[in-house]
Amino acid sequence: MDAMTALAGHPYDGGPHWWFFFFPLGFFVFWVLAILLLRRVFWGRGPGPWAHRGWPSGAPGAEQTLATRFASGDIDEVEYRARLEVLRASPPGPR
């Protein structure tokens, strides 16, 4: 029995059907979604992938740095309060 005789009467003998084109489309959609997800989670987020969610990144904040400078005597109380007011008035995030 040859290969053609073995396939005689099989319902898919007519060649590729309409569903054949959904396989490449499915792969394309999968990779686009994977890239978008990875891009949203990891790219352009500062020191780490969770920095955009407000979780601590390990780096001291601006207010902490200012408090450290005030405690060490680098700046006086008037300058400390003026800079702290500016920090709290400006919106957080990259510029």
Side-chain angles (χ1 to χ4, degrees):
M1 178 184 322
D2 64 353
M4 292 306 287
T5 310
L7 291 177
H10 197 273
Y12 299 114
D13 279 347
H17 293 278
W18 60 269
W19 53 265
F20 176 77
F21 297 103
F22 281 101
F23 286 107
L25 181 64
F27 284 120
F28 178 74
V29 169
F30 170 77
W31 285 111
V32 166
L33 291 176
I35 288 171
L36 289 176
L37 177 68
L38 289 172
R39 189 171 167 207
R40 174 147 175 94
V41 171
F42 291 108
W43 292 344
R45 300 296 185 202
W50 299 283
H52 67 287
R53 296 187 183 131
W55 296 350
S57 64
E63 289 187 20
Q64 181 64 36
T65 303
L66 188 61
T68 303
R69 289 187 62 200
F70 177 61
S72 66
D74 290 342
I75 56 176
D76 62 351
E77 183 179 357
V78 175
E79 187 175 358
Y80 170 74
R81 294 199 184 275
R83 289 183 183 215
L84 188 61
E85 185 177 327
V86 170
L87 280 175
R88 290 184 175 167
S90 63
R95 294 182 183 218

